[in-house]
Amino acid sequence: MKRIAFFPGSFDPFTKGHADIVERGLNLFDEIIIGIGTNTTKKRYFPLDLMTKLIKGAFKDDGRVQVVHYNDLTAKVAREHGANFLLRGLRNTTDFEYENTISQVNRQIVNGLETIFLITSPDLAPISSTIVRELHSFGQDVSQYLPFQLDKPEN
Ligand code: ADP
């Protein structure tokens, strides 16, 4: 059986921390589907179409990586894409507290859907999408945090 992992997240934006999880995940899985979850009540900072294009561009040379977006229950969407695993990154105990509960729920929603966690590479642990958005909104160059080139915000 093919090992297919669904990597869900807001990815607003997708950072080098996320890219590291995908790259290391490729040592474990045959395919990884990056799922950009959209929440209709939460406005994104980076437009969905732009982020989809940038992530696709970052993995264009690797046919094992796909990018999709969704607006439904993560576990259901993962199953619809034929994934038998969820992939998540863990930076710290705050991530753990949240992930601990959600992974139990996801396994109840889709019987046997296991979540696999990769501990962040230490140099990438401080990177969060929230901080990148904050820096970018004040006109800072955030390229060192991202696996692709992004235009500077217009001031
Ligand atoms: P969500 O809104 O679902 O938390 P994020 O886009 O913030 O989505 O993160 C998606 C996943 O990537 C989560 O499992 C998160 O813990 C992980 N992640 C975020 N930043 C990093 C990082 N710097 N290193 C490793 N994993 C990370």
Side-chain angles (χ1 to χ4, degrees):
M1 191 177 64
K2 250 190 173 184
R3 288 172 180 267
I4 303 175
F6 190 77
F7 181 32
S10 315
F11 305 124
D12 190 21
F14 189 89
T15 67
K16 280 188 180 170
H18 297 131
D20 179 60
I21 297 295
V22 173
E23 276 151 25
R24 289 164 53 209
L26 286 169
N27 296 323
L28 303 170
F29 303 108
D30 299 309
E31 275 175 39
I32 295 181
I33 302 161
I34 300 171
I36 311 178
T38 53
N39 183 338
T40 38
T41 59
K42 217 169 112 188
K43 203 174 167 327
R44 291 183 68 86
Y45 178 82
F46 292 103
L48 181 62
D49 288 351
L50 170 71
M51 201 42 59
T52 308
K53 197 178 98 188
L54 290 170
I55 303 173
K56 279 187 176 164
F59 294 100
K60 67 177 182 330
D61 297 329
D62 200 326
R64 296 172 298 170
V65 180
Q66 274 185 61
V67 185
V68 299
H69 33 89
Y70 68 98
N71 185 7
D72 203 343
L73 274 178
T74 298
K76 260 178 63 188
V77 178
R79 184 183 50 190
E80 281 159 16
H81 281 93
N84 26 29
F85 298 95
L86 288 177
L87 174 63
R88 295 284 284 177
L90 284 182
R91 283 166 295 187
N92 47 42
T93 51
T94 314
D95 276 354
F96 174 77
E97 294 295 337
Y98 174 75
E99 299 291 341
N100 185 22
T101 326
I102 204 97
S103 69
Q104 314 282 357
V105 173
N106 282 330
R107 198 151 52 91
Q108 274 167 13
I109 296 171
V110 172
N111 195 13
L113 183 68
E114 294 287 357
T115 306
I116 306 295
F117 298 101
L118 293 182
I119 301 285
T120 308
S121 301
D123 53 322
L124 302 173
I127 305 177
S128 78
S129 299
T130 310
I131 290 173
V132 174
R133 283 197 301 273
E134 180 91 354
L135 292 173
H136 187 266
S137 71
F138 287 108
Q140 284 290 315
D141 178 13
V142 292
S143 52
Q144 60 177 312
Y145 306 116
L146 306 178
F148 38 67
Q149 237 10 77
L150 193 70
D151 291 337
K152 276 201 181 156
E154 285 144 31
N155 290 312

